[in-house]
Amino acid sequence: MSKKFFPGVERPIPYEGRESKNPLAFRYYNKLQRVGDKTMGEHLRFAVAYWHSFMGTGADMFGGPSFKREWHTAVDPMDRARETMDAAFEFCQKLGVDYYCFHDRDIAPEGESFSRTCRNLETMVQCALNLQKATGVKLLWGTANLFSNPVYSQGAGTSPNAHVMAYAAAQLKNAIDATHALGGENYVFWGGREGYETLLNTDMKREQEHMARLLQMAVDYKNKIGFKGQFLIEPKPAEPTKHQYDFDAATTLGFLREYDLLDHFQLNIEANHATLAGHSFAHELAVASAAGKLGSVDANRGDLLLGWDTDQFPTDVYGTVLAMIIILKQNGLGKGGLNFDAKVRRSSVDPSDLFHAHIGGMDAFAQGLLIAHRIIEDRVLDNFIEERYGSFKSGIGEQIMSCKTGLEDLEKWIIREGAPAVQSGRQEMLENILNSYILR
Ligand code: XLS
Ligand code: CA
Ligand code: CA
């Protein structure tokens, strides 16, 4: 195992328990520890995001790169891509994470022509295949970057220009091929610039029809090549465009239903996109899960004092507990996982900061898992919720829901029975119970 890029770090990061003072150890994440019927590793299926952790430079709107990554020093772009990939696999192995996720343009640079770009991607897929075999690290999902190249400035699948849509389709085909070749367990569609800035130049209905057509072509191609991974759509309300079509989970489910695509897609819910949409992370997970469509998670957080996509590592245990309750109740994420779509801050310039960031996120979710599991085992919330809706189990509630009554029957019933007594929702009591589990 190469010690080139992260020489100071042991492999893999050890679990040392909650009393440990070692900043490069897990205090809660103990991969092989059983929680219910699975190990922590099986429950959590963590992935490292290639773009933030290995392509990120620390640049923001007010300044250029602040990180000096050793894997970015080679002059030739393909040499740089190879070194970056070596760094990525070295990191995943040392961290002890089984999965990574990438965009096509993260792992391979664009060439001077489309065909050259495809060849670059094929070369890097071969390198990834070799490194996957050597390290055991696997691909959780691949995706196409259909938003950085200036041709996509007015959208890819929703571009007003058919030539651009065709270009996006050709790129998409190659990204699906790459994911398929690497045994990717999922393929993600995030809308990028699939939205609009002004209605003065936009036919919104038409753009959504175009998007549906692109997705249908992707489904057809998936079936044709026998790709067994799961297709995921990742909602986001805005940024980079002002109005994005996949605004949130409910909007995306409505879109998929309208265009008869629902059977072919699950959702990838990102915490920071939930908060940008004015929802909580748990709300978005619950909407997707209730529809049987919660497929995977981008585990990060925003900053509620800033209005943009800060993509920070998740550290809020309250949030991870609520998320894990929903995930455990649907019996896990199946082929999906928890991808750290998160970046270290511009001032966290050392490669070791990548370890601290991931260790924190993994421990926050491990704690979330342990606490959520106890809450579910003890049925403290389930019993309350069951009782809260108990009046629908028999009597008039049962009759209403089994379609035995109409409005007139209910009017007669109310005249006989009178007005209902109001029951407390006990929110504060339940919040105290939740805290009693978290603050143990
Ligand atoms: C951007 C998105 C993106 C997707 C993958 O905000 O989170 O990174 O997860 O294209
Ligand atoms: Ca994301
Ligand atoms: Ca984000």
Side-chain angles (χ1 to χ4, degrees), residues 13 26 28-31 40 44 46-48 91-92 95-98 313-314 320 338 340 355-369:
I13 297 286
F26 295 115
Y28 297 92
Y29 180 66
N30 184 8
K31 194 173 180 179
M40 272 199 186
L44 298 169
F46 290 125
V48 175
F91 179 78
C92 290
L95 181 63
V97 155
D98 290 336
F313 278 83
T320 61
L338 298 171
F340 290 114
F355 282 96
H356 297 305
H358 284 86
I359 289 169
M362 290 164 78
D363 265 349
F365 267 92
Q367 259 181 303
L369 166 66

PDB file of all heavy atoms in Angstrom, residues 13 26 28-31 40 44 46-48 91-92 95-98 313-314 320 338 340 355-369:
ATOM      1  N   ILE A  13      -8.158   3.667   9.832  1.00  0.00           N
ATOM      2  CA  ILE A  13      -8.403   4.436  11.066  1.00  0.00           C
ATOM      3  C   ILE A  13      -9.045   3.484  12.088  1.00  0.00           C
ATOM      4  O   ILE A  13     -10.047   2.848  11.790  1.00  0.00           O
ATOM      5  CB  ILE A  13      -9.364   5.625  10.761  1.00  0.00           C
ATOM      6  CG1 ILE A  13      -8.742   6.609   9.782  1.00  0.00           C
ATOM      7  CG2 ILE A  13      -9.815   6.317  12.052  1.00  0.00           C
ATOM      8  CD1 ILE A  13      -7.654   7.493  10.338  1.00  0.00           C
ATOM      9  N   PHE A  26     -11.950   6.483  15.451  1.00  0.00           N
ATOM     10  CA  PHE A  26     -13.408   6.552  15.595  1.00  0.00           C
ATOM     11  C   PHE A  26     -13.769   6.347  17.054  1.00  0.00           C
ATOM     12  O   PHE A  26     -13.172   5.519  17.752  1.00  0.00           O
ATOM     13  CB  PHE A  26     -14.087   5.450  14.772  1.00  0.00           C
ATOM     14  CG  PHE A  26     -13.895   5.600  13.290  1.00  0.00           C
ATOM     15  CD1 PHE A  26     -13.175   4.653  12.571  1.00  0.00           C
ATOM     16  CD2 PHE A  26     -14.445   6.685  12.611  1.00  0.00           C
ATOM     17  CE1 PHE A  26     -12.996   4.793  11.195  1.00  0.00           C
ATOM     18  CE2 PHE A  26     -14.266   6.828  11.246  1.00  0.00           C
ATOM     19  CZ  PHE A  26     -13.541   5.884  10.532  1.00  0.00           C
ATOM     20  N   TYR A  28     -17.277   6.152  17.786  1.00  0.00           N
ATOM     21  CA  TYR A  28     -18.577   5.445  17.721  1.00  0.00           C
ATOM     22  C   TYR A  28     -18.645   4.460  16.554  1.00  0.00           C
ATOM     23  O   TYR A  28     -19.290   3.440  16.647  1.00  0.00           O
ATOM     24  CB  TYR A  28     -19.725   6.462  17.601  1.00  0.00           C
ATOM     25  CG  TYR A  28     -19.804   7.348  18.814  1.00  0.00           C
ATOM     26  CD1 TYR A  28     -19.127   8.577  18.846  1.00  0.00           C
ATOM     27  CD2 TYR A  28     -20.508   6.949  19.953  1.00  0.00           C
ATOM     28  CE1 TYR A  28     -19.167   9.379  19.982  1.00  0.00           C
ATOM     29  CE2 TYR A  28     -20.545   7.749  21.085  1.00  0.00           C
ATOM     30  CZ  TYR A  28     -19.874   8.966  21.083  1.00  0.00           C
ATOM     31  OH  TYR A  28     -19.912   9.752  22.202  1.00  0.00           O
ATOM     32  N   TYR A  29     -18.004   4.793  15.435  1.00  0.00           N
ATOM     33  CA  TYR A  29     -18.108   3.921  14.260  1.00  0.00           C
ATOM     34  C   TYR A  29     -17.200   2.714  14.420  1.00  0.00           C
ATOM     35  O   TYR A  29     -15.975   2.824  14.404  1.00  0.00           O
ATOM     36  CB  TYR A  29     -17.732   4.680  12.980  1.00  0.00           C
ATOM     37  CG  TYR A  29     -17.840   3.794  11.755  1.00  0.00           C
ATOM     38  CD1 TYR A  29     -19.077   3.306  11.342  1.00  0.00           C
ATOM     39  CD2 TYR A  29     -16.707   3.414  11.038  1.00  0.00           C
ATOM     40  CE1 TYR A  29     -19.188   2.470  10.250  1.00  0.00           C
ATOM     41  CE2 TYR A  29     -16.808   2.587   9.936  1.00  0.00           C
ATOM     42  CZ  TYR A  29     -18.046   2.119   9.550  1.00  0.00           C
ATOM     43  OH  TYR A  29     -18.159   1.288   8.467  1.00  0.00           O
ATOM     44  N   ASN A  30     -17.809   1.575  14.595  1.00  0.00           N
ATOM     45  CA  ASN A  30     -17.098   0.321  14.806  1.00  0.00           C
ATOM     46  C   ASN A  30     -17.685  -0.635  13.761  1.00  0.00           C
ATOM     47  O   ASN A  30     -18.722  -1.256  13.986  1.00  0.00           O
ATOM     48  CB  ASN A  30     -17.356  -0.157  16.246  1.00  0.00           C
ATOM     49  CG  ASN A  30     -16.580  -1.403  16.565  1.00  0.00           C
ATOM     50  OD1 ASN A  30     -15.743  -1.841  15.787  1.00  0.00           O
ATOM     51  ND2 ASN A  30     -16.861  -1.981  17.720  1.00  0.00           N
ATOM     52  N   LYS A  31     -17.039  -0.682  12.625  1.00  0.00           N
ATOM     53  CA  LYS A  31     -17.593  -1.301  11.410  1.00  0.00           C
ATOM     54  C   LYS A  31     -18.248  -2.667  11.637  1.00  0.00           C
ATOM     55  O   LYS A  31     -19.310  -2.949  11.097  1.00  0.00           O
ATOM     56  CB  LYS A  31     -16.461  -1.428  10.385  1.00  0.00           C
ATOM     57  CG  LYS A  31     -16.937  -1.735   9.007  1.00  0.00           C
ATOM     58  CD  LYS A  31     -15.768  -1.678   8.042  1.00  0.00           C
ATOM     59  CE  LYS A  31     -16.233  -1.974   6.647  1.00  0.00           C
ATOM     60  NZ  LYS A  31     -15.128  -1.910   5.697  1.00  0.00           N
ATOM     61  N   MET A  40     -22.591  -2.358  11.684  1.00  0.00           N
ATOM     62  CA  MET A  40     -22.600  -0.912  11.389  1.00  0.00           C
ATOM     63  C   MET A  40     -22.196  -0.652   9.942  1.00  0.00           C
ATOM     64  O   MET A  40     -22.764   0.198   9.272  1.00  0.00           O
ATOM     65  CB  MET A  40     -21.610  -0.193  12.292  1.00  0.00           C
ATOM     66  CG  MET A  40     -22.189   0.220  13.591  1.00  0.00           C
ATOM     67  SD  MET A  40     -21.130   1.513  14.297  1.00  0.00           S
ATOM     68  CE  MET A  40     -21.930   1.665  15.870  1.00  0.00           C
ATOM     69  N   LEU A  44     -24.533   1.376   7.263  1.00  0.00           N
ATOM     70  CA  LEU A  44     -24.193   2.758   6.909  1.00  0.00           C
ATOM     71  C   LEU A  44     -23.623   2.918   5.492  1.00  0.00           C
ATOM     72  O   LEU A  44     -23.781   3.949   4.875  1.00  0.00           O
ATOM     73  CB  LEU A  44     -23.268   3.361   7.972  1.00  0.00           C
ATOM     74  CG  LEU A  44     -23.922   3.425   9.369  1.00  0.00           C
ATOM     75  CD1 LEU A  44     -22.899   3.764  10.453  1.00  0.00           C
ATOM     76  CD2 LEU A  44     -25.054   4.458   9.405  1.00  0.00           C
ATOM     77  N   PHE A  46     -20.960   3.835   3.872  1.00  0.00           N
ATOM     78  CA  PHE A  46     -20.417   5.174   3.606  1.00  0.00           C
ATOM     79  C   PHE A  46     -19.681   5.230   2.273  1.00  0.00           C
ATOM     80  O   PHE A  46     -19.016   4.268   1.881  1.00  0.00           O
ATOM     81  CB  PHE A  46     -19.416   5.557   4.698  1.00  0.00           C
ATOM     82  CG  PHE A  46     -20.030   5.823   6.034  1.00  0.00           C
ATOM     83  CD1 PHE A  46     -19.594   5.135   7.164  1.00  0.00           C
ATOM     84  CD2 PHE A  46     -21.034   6.773   6.186  1.00  0.00           C
ATOM     85  CE1 PHE A  46     -20.131   5.388   8.417  1.00  0.00           C
ATOM     86  CE2 PHE A  46     -21.587   7.038   7.438  1.00  0.00           C
ATOM     87  CZ  PHE A  46     -21.132   6.338   8.554  1.00  0.00           C
ATOM     88  N   ALA A  47     -19.747   6.391   1.631  1.00  0.00           N
ATOM     89  CA  ALA A  47     -18.970   6.617   0.403  1.00  0.00           C
ATOM     90  C   ALA A  47     -18.283   7.969   0.477  1.00  0.00           C
ATOM     91  O   ALA A  47     -18.797   8.918   1.091  1.00  0.00           O
ATOM     92  CB  ALA A  47     -19.887   6.580  -0.813  1.00  0.00           C
ATOM     93  N   VAL A  48     -17.115   8.051  -0.160  1.00  0.00           N
ATOM     94  CA  VAL A  48     -16.360   9.305  -0.247  1.00  0.00           C
ATOM     95  C   VAL A  48     -16.652   9.939  -1.609  1.00  0.00           C
ATOM     96  O   VAL A  48     -16.631   9.252  -2.626  1.00  0.00           O
ATOM     97  CB  VAL A  48     -14.850   9.021  -0.092  1.00  0.00           C
ATOM     98  CG1 VAL A  48     -14.031  10.282  -0.306  1.00  0.00           C
ATOM     99  CG2 VAL A  48     -14.557   8.433   1.292  1.00  0.00           C
ATOM    100  N   PHE A  91      -6.736   6.978   0.181  1.00  0.00           N
ATOM    101  CA  PHE A  91      -7.529   7.602   1.240  1.00  0.00           C
ATOM    102  C   PHE A  91      -8.664   6.680   1.703  1.00  0.00           C
ATOM    103  O   PHE A  91      -8.839   6.463   2.908  1.00  0.00           O
ATOM    104  CB  PHE A  91      -8.102   8.939   0.742  1.00  0.00           C
ATOM    105  CG  PHE A  91      -8.943   9.641   1.757  1.00  0.00           C
ATOM    106  CD1 PHE A  91      -8.365  10.351   2.803  1.00  0.00           C
ATOM    107  CD2 PHE A  91     -10.331   9.578   1.696  1.00  0.00           C
ATOM    108  CE1 PHE A  91      -9.140  10.989   3.761  1.00  0.00           C
ATOM    109  CE2 PHE A  91     -11.114  10.208   2.651  1.00  0.00           C
ATOM    110  CZ  PHE A  91     -10.529  10.917   3.681  1.00  0.00           C
ATOM    111  N   CYS A  92      -9.428   6.146   0.750  1.00  0.00           N
ATOM    112  CA  CYS A  92     -10.576   5.294   1.124  1.00  0.00           C
ATOM    113  C   CYS A  92     -10.102   4.095   1.938  1.00  0.00           C
ATOM    114  O   CYS A  92     -10.729   3.720   2.928  1.00  0.00           O
ATOM    115  CB  CYS A  92     -11.317   4.788  -0.121  1.00  0.00           C
ATOM    116  SG  CYS A  92     -12.214   6.090  -0.968  1.00  0.00           S
ATOM    117  N   LEU A  95      -9.019   5.217   5.413  1.00  0.00           N
ATOM    118  CA  LEU A  95     -10.175   5.620   6.219  1.00  0.00           C
ATOM    119  C   LEU A  95     -11.003   4.396   6.601  1.00  0.00           C
ATOM    120  O   LEU A  95     -11.698   4.396   7.619  1.00  0.00           O
ATOM    121  CB  LEU A  95     -11.015   6.619   5.405  1.00  0.00           C
ATOM    122  CG  LEU A  95     -12.260   7.205   6.057  1.00  0.00           C
ATOM    123  CD1 LEU A  95     -11.874   8.032   7.291  1.00  0.00           C
ATOM    124  CD2 LEU A  95     -13.029   8.076   5.062  1.00  0.00           C
ATOM    125  N   GLY A  96     -10.944   3.371   5.761  1.00  0.00           N
ATOM    126  CA  GLY A  96     -11.753   2.174   6.022  1.00  0.00           C
ATOM    127  C   GLY A  96     -13.168   2.325   5.509  1.00  0.00           C
ATOM    128  O   GLY A  96     -14.116   1.802   6.085  1.00  0.00           O
ATOM    129  N   VAL A  97     -13.315   3.044   4.387  1.00  0.00           N
ATOM    130  CA  VAL A  97     -14.628   3.211   3.754  1.00  0.00           C
ATOM    131  C   VAL A  97     -14.679   2.323   2.511  1.00  0.00           C
ATOM    132  O   VAL A  97     -13.708   2.242   1.769  1.00  0.00           O
ATOM    133  CB  VAL A  97     -14.841   4.704   3.408  1.00  0.00           C
ATOM    134  CG1 VAL A  97     -15.815   4.886   2.281  1.00  0.00           C
ATOM    135  CG2 VAL A  97     -15.336   5.453   4.629  1.00  0.00           C
ATOM    136  N   ASP A  98     -15.821   1.667   2.304  1.00  0.00           N
ATOM    137  CA  ASP A  98     -15.910   0.681   1.215  1.00  0.00           C
ATOM    138  C   ASP A  98     -16.269   1.275  -0.138  1.00  0.00           C
ATOM    139  O   ASP A  98     -16.164   0.589  -1.150  1.00  0.00           O
ATOM    140  CB  ASP A  98     -16.973  -0.372   1.561  1.00  0.00           C
ATOM    141  CG  ASP A  98     -16.519  -1.259   2.701  1.00  0.00           C
ATOM    142  OD1 ASP A  98     -15.293  -1.381   2.902  1.00  0.00           O
ATOM    143  OD2 ASP A  98     -17.390  -1.812   3.400  1.00  0.00           O
ATOM    144  N   PHE A 313     -19.541  18.808   6.241  1.00  0.00           N
ATOM    145  CA  PHE A 313     -19.641  17.450   6.782  1.00  0.00           C
ATOM    146  C   PHE A 313     -20.687  17.423   7.899  1.00  0.00           C
ATOM    147  O   PHE A 313     -20.793  18.376   8.672  1.00  0.00           O
ATOM    148  CB  PHE A 313     -18.269  16.966   7.288  1.00  0.00           C
ATOM    149  CG  PHE A 313     -17.433  16.449   6.162  1.00  0.00           C
ATOM    150  CD1 PHE A 313     -16.699  17.316   5.363  1.00  0.00           C
ATOM    151  CD2 PHE A 313     -17.449  15.100   5.846  1.00  0.00           C
ATOM    152  CE1 PHE A 313     -15.966  16.849   4.287  1.00  0.00           C
ATOM    153  CE2 PHE A 313     -16.720  14.624   4.772  1.00  0.00           C
ATOM    154  CZ  PHE A 313     -15.980  15.491   3.988  1.00  0.00           C
ATOM    155  N   PRO A 314     -21.449  16.329   7.979  1.00  0.00           N
ATOM    156  CA  PRO A 314     -22.513  16.272   8.990  1.00  0.00           C
ATOM    157  C   PRO A 314     -21.921  16.044  10.376  1.00  0.00           C
ATOM    158  O   PRO A 314     -21.112  15.138  10.574  1.00  0.00           O
ATOM    159  CB  PRO A 314     -23.345  15.050   8.549  1.00  0.00           C
ATOM    160  CG  PRO A 314     -22.399  14.190   7.779  1.00  0.00           C
ATOM    161  CD  PRO A 314     -21.400  15.122   7.153  1.00  0.00           C
ATOM    162  N   THR A 320     -28.785  13.320  12.569  1.00  0.00           N
ATOM    163  CA  THR A 320     -28.485  11.949  12.123  1.00  0.00           C
ATOM    164  C   THR A 320     -29.417  10.943  12.803  1.00  0.00           C
ATOM    165  O   THR A 320     -29.763   9.928  12.213  1.00  0.00           O
ATOM    166  CB  THR A 320     -27.006  11.565  12.356  1.00  0.00           C
ATOM    167  OG1 THR A 320     -26.707  11.619  13.752  1.00  0.00           O
ATOM    168  CG2 THR A 320     -26.056  12.466  11.596  1.00  0.00           C
ATOM    169  N   LEU A 338     -24.609   6.080   2.197  1.00  0.00           N
ATOM    170  CA  LEU A 338     -24.469   7.441   2.713  1.00  0.00           C
ATOM    171  C   LEU A 338     -23.204   8.040   2.110  1.00  0.00           C
ATOM    172  O   LEU A 338     -22.090   7.711   2.525  1.00  0.00           O
ATOM    173  CB  LEU A 338     -24.347   7.410   4.241  1.00  0.00           C
ATOM    174  CG  LEU A 338     -25.552   6.844   5.004  1.00  0.00           C
ATOM    175  CD1 LEU A 338     -25.206   6.666   6.480  1.00  0.00           C
ATOM    176  CD2 LEU A 338     -26.761   7.754   4.874  1.00  0.00           C
ATOM    177  N   PHE A 340     -20.718  11.049   1.435  1.00  0.00           N
ATOM    178  CA  PHE A 340     -20.334  12.344   2.008  1.00  0.00           C
ATOM    179  C   PHE A 340     -20.120  13.366   0.898  1.00  0.00           C
ATOM    180  O   PHE A 340     -18.987  13.633   0.486  1.00  0.00           O
ATOM    181  CB  PHE A 340     -19.086  12.201   2.878  1.00  0.00           C
ATOM    182  CG  PHE A 340     -19.357  11.451   4.141  1.00  0.00           C
ATOM    183  CD1 PHE A 340     -18.795  10.215   4.373  1.00  0.00           C
ATOM    184  CD2 PHE A 340     -20.227  11.978   5.092  1.00  0.00           C
ATOM    185  CE1 PHE A 340     -19.073   9.515   5.547  1.00  0.00           C
ATOM    186  CE2 PHE A 340     -20.519  11.287   6.260  1.00  0.00           C
ATOM    187  CZ  PHE A 340     -19.935  10.048   6.483  1.00  0.00           C
ATOM    188  N   PHE A 355      -9.310  13.504   6.670  1.00  0.00           N
ATOM    189  CA  PHE A 355      -9.583  12.407   7.623  1.00  0.00           C
ATOM    190  C   PHE A 355     -10.461  12.906   8.768  1.00  0.00           C
ATOM    191  O   PHE A 355     -11.454  12.276   9.107  1.00  0.00           O
ATOM    192  CB  PHE A 355      -8.272  11.820   8.175  1.00  0.00           C
ATOM    193  CG  PHE A 355      -7.606  10.899   7.201  1.00  0.00           C
ATOM    194  CD1 PHE A 355      -6.598  11.354   6.363  1.00  0.00           C
ATOM    195  CD2 PHE A 355      -8.005   9.569   7.099  1.00  0.00           C
ATOM    196  CE1 PHE A 355      -5.992  10.504   5.450  1.00  0.00           C
ATOM    197  CE2 PHE A 355      -7.409   8.714   6.182  1.00  0.00           C
ATOM    198  CZ  PHE A 355      -6.400   9.173   5.350  1.00  0.00           C
ATOM    199  N   HIS A 356     -10.089  14.049   9.340  1.00  0.00           N
ATOM    200  CA  HIS A 356     -10.895  14.560  10.463  1.00  0.00           C
ATOM    201  C   HIS A 356     -12.348  14.748  10.031  1.00  0.00           C
ATOM    202  O   HIS A 356     -13.278  14.403  10.768  1.00  0.00           O
ATOM    203  CB  HIS A 356     -10.332  15.893  10.971  1.00  0.00           C
ATOM    204  CG  HIS A 356      -8.944  15.761  11.531  1.00  0.00           C
ATOM    205  ND1 HIS A 356      -8.636  14.878  12.530  1.00  0.00           N
ATOM    206  CD2 HIS A 356      -7.781  16.383  11.208  1.00  0.00           C
ATOM    207  CE1 HIS A 356      -7.345  14.962  12.813  1.00  0.00           C
ATOM    208  NE2 HIS A 356      -6.802  15.867  12.017  1.00  0.00           N
ATOM    209  N   ALA A 357     -12.535  15.292   8.831  1.00  0.00           N
ATOM    210  CA  ALA A 357     -13.891  15.567   8.349  1.00  0.00           C
ATOM    211  C   ALA A 357     -14.704  14.281   8.213  1.00  0.00           C
ATOM    212  O   ALA A 357     -15.838  14.189   8.701  1.00  0.00           O
ATOM    213  CB  ALA A 357     -13.806  16.283   6.998  1.00  0.00           C
ATOM    214  N   HIS A 358     -14.115  13.285   7.567  1.00  0.00           N
ATOM    215  CA  HIS A 358     -14.853  12.033   7.366  1.00  0.00           C
ATOM    216  C   HIS A 358     -15.067  11.281   8.678  1.00  0.00           C
ATOM    217  O   HIS A 358     -16.121  10.688   8.888  1.00  0.00           O
ATOM    218  CB  HIS A 358     -14.136  11.139   6.344  1.00  0.00           C
ATOM    219  CG  HIS A 358     -14.321  11.599   4.923  1.00  0.00           C
ATOM    220  ND1 HIS A 358     -13.523  12.535   4.325  1.00  0.00           N
ATOM    221  CD2 HIS A 358     -15.244  11.257   3.995  1.00  0.00           C
ATOM    222  CE1 HIS A 358     -13.932  12.750   3.087  1.00  0.00           C
ATOM    223  NE2 HIS A 358     -14.976  11.985   2.857  1.00  0.00           N
ATOM    224  N   ILE A 359     -14.058  11.311   9.539  1.00  0.00           N
ATOM    225  CA  ILE A 359     -14.210  10.627  10.838  1.00  0.00           C
ATOM    226  C   ILE A 359     -15.392  11.242  11.597  1.00  0.00           C
ATOM    227  O   ILE A 359     -16.240  10.529  12.144  1.00  0.00           O
ATOM    228  CB  ILE A 359     -12.904  10.732  11.666  1.00  0.00           C
ATOM    229  CG1 ILE A 359     -11.822   9.854  11.038  1.00  0.00           C
ATOM    230  CG2 ILE A 359     -13.147  10.334  13.125  1.00  0.00           C
ATOM    231  CD1 ILE A 359     -10.418  10.077  11.603  1.00  0.00           C
ATOM    232  N   GLY A 360     -15.479  12.571  11.578  1.00  0.00           N
ATOM    233  CA  GLY A 360     -16.585  13.258  12.266  1.00  0.00           C
ATOM    234  C   GLY A 360     -17.938  12.867  11.685  1.00  0.00           C
ATOM    235  O   GLY A 360     -18.886  12.580  12.420  1.00  0.00           O
ATOM    236  N   GLY A 361     -18.022  12.843  10.357  1.00  0.00           N
ATOM    237  CA  GLY A 361     -19.283  12.483   9.703  1.00  0.00           C
ATOM    238  C   GLY A 361     -19.665  11.038   9.991  1.00  0.00           C
ATOM    239  O   GLY A 361     -20.833  10.721  10.253  1.00  0.00           O
ATOM    240  N   MET A 362     -18.690  10.160   9.960  1.00  0.00           N
ATOM    241  CA  MET A 362     -18.975   8.739  10.190  1.00  0.00           C
ATOM    242  C   MET A 362     -19.391   8.503  11.637  1.00  0.00           C
ATOM    243  O   MET A 362     -20.323   7.749  11.915  1.00  0.00           O
ATOM    244  CB  MET A 362     -17.742   7.899   9.821  1.00  0.00           C
ATOM    245  CG  MET A 362     -17.502   7.887   8.312  1.00  0.00           C
ATOM    246  SD  MET A 362     -15.852   7.335   7.836  1.00  0.00           S
ATOM    247  CE  MET A 362     -16.010   5.558   8.032  1.00  0.00           C
ATOM    248  N   ASP A 363     -18.712   9.180  12.562  1.00  0.00           N
ATOM    249  CA  ASP A 363     -19.093   9.037  13.971  1.00  0.00           C
ATOM    250  C   ASP A 363     -20.485   9.623  14.227  1.00  0.00           C
ATOM    251  O   ASP A 363     -21.251   9.065  15.014  1.00  0.00           O
ATOM    252  CB  ASP A 363     -18.049   9.717  14.874  1.00  0.00           C
ATOM    253  CG  ASP A 363     -17.002   8.729  15.388  1.00  0.00           C
ATOM    254  OD1 ASP A 363     -17.189   7.504  15.232  1.00  0.00           O
ATOM    255  OD2 ASP A 363     -15.979   9.191  15.958  1.00  0.00           O
ATOM    256  N   ALA A 364     -20.798  10.742  13.576  1.00  0.00           N
ATOM    257  CA  ALA A 364     -22.124  11.352  13.783  1.00  0.00           C
ATOM    258  C   ALA A 364     -23.219  10.396  13.308  1.00  0.00           C
ATOM    259  O   ALA A 364     -24.265  10.242  13.957  1.00  0.00           O
ATOM    260  CB  ALA A 364     -22.220  12.691  13.059  1.00  0.00           C
ATOM    261  N   PHE A 365     -22.994   9.720  12.176  1.00  0.00           N
ATOM    262  CA  PHE A 365     -24.002   8.770  11.692  1.00  0.00           C
ATOM    263  C   PHE A 365     -24.002   7.480  12.512  1.00  0.00           C
ATOM    264  O   PHE A 365     -25.061   6.859  12.693  1.00  0.00           O
ATOM    265  CB  PHE A 365     -23.831   8.499  10.193  1.00  0.00           C
ATOM    266  CG  PHE A 365     -24.701   9.416   9.380  1.00  0.00           C
ATOM    267  CD1 PHE A 365     -24.213  10.629   8.923  1.00  0.00           C
ATOM    268  CD2 PHE A 365     -26.026   9.093   9.124  1.00  0.00           C
ATOM    269  CE1 PHE A 365     -25.031  11.505   8.212  1.00  0.00           C
ATOM    270  CE2 PHE A 365     -26.848   9.955   8.421  1.00  0.00           C
ATOM    271  CZ  PHE A 365     -26.352  11.167   7.963  1.00  0.00           C
ATOM    272  N   ALA A 366     -22.826   7.069  13.005  1.00  0.00           N
ATOM    273  CA  ALA A 366     -22.796   5.862  13.844  1.00  0.00           C
ATOM    274  C   ALA A 366     -23.583   6.113  15.135  1.00  0.00           C
ATOM    275  O   ALA A 366     -24.366   5.271  15.571  1.00  0.00           O
ATOM    276  CB  ALA A 366     -21.355   5.482  14.165  1.00  0.00           C
ATOM    277  N   GLN A 367     -23.390   7.290  15.715  1.00  0.00           N
ATOM    278  CA  GLN A 367     -24.167   7.645  16.910  1.00  0.00           C
ATOM    279  C   GLN A 367     -25.648   7.699  16.576  1.00  0.00           C
ATOM    280  O   GLN A 367     -26.489   7.217  17.324  1.00  0.00           O
ATOM    281  CB  GLN A 367     -23.745   9.027  17.406  1.00  0.00           C
ATOM    282  CG  GLN A 367     -22.816   9.003  18.589  1.00  0.00           C
ATOM    283  CD  GLN A 367     -22.496  10.423  19.003  1.00  0.00           C
ATOM    284  OE1 GLN A 367     -22.002  11.208  18.195  1.00  0.00           O
ATOM    285  NE2 GLN A 367     -22.771  10.766  20.233  1.00  0.00           N
ATOM    286  N   GLY A 368     -25.949   8.316  15.436  1.00  0.00           N
ATOM    287  CA  GLY A 368     -27.344   8.402  14.984  1.00  0.00           C
ATOM    288  C   GLY A 368     -27.950   7.014  14.861  1.00  0.00           C
ATOM    289  O   GLY A 368     -29.086   6.774  15.293  1.00  0.00           O
ATOM    290  N   LEU A 369     -27.189   6.092  14.306  1.00  0.00           N
ATOM    291  CA  LEU A 369     -27.669   4.716  14.139  1.00  0.00           C
ATOM    292  C   LEU A 369     -27.941   4.063  15.492  1.00  0.00           C
ATOM    293  O   LEU A 369     -29.005   3.470  15.706  1.00  0.00           O
ATOM    294  CB  LEU A 369     -26.614   3.907  13.357  1.00  0.00           C
ATOM    295  CG  LEU A 369     -26.781   2.392  13.359  1.00  0.00           C
ATOM    296  CD1 LEU A 369     -28.052   1.969  12.620  1.00  0.00           C
ATOM    297  CD2 LEU A 369     -25.565   1.714  12.711  1.00  0.00           C
TER     298      LEU A 369
END
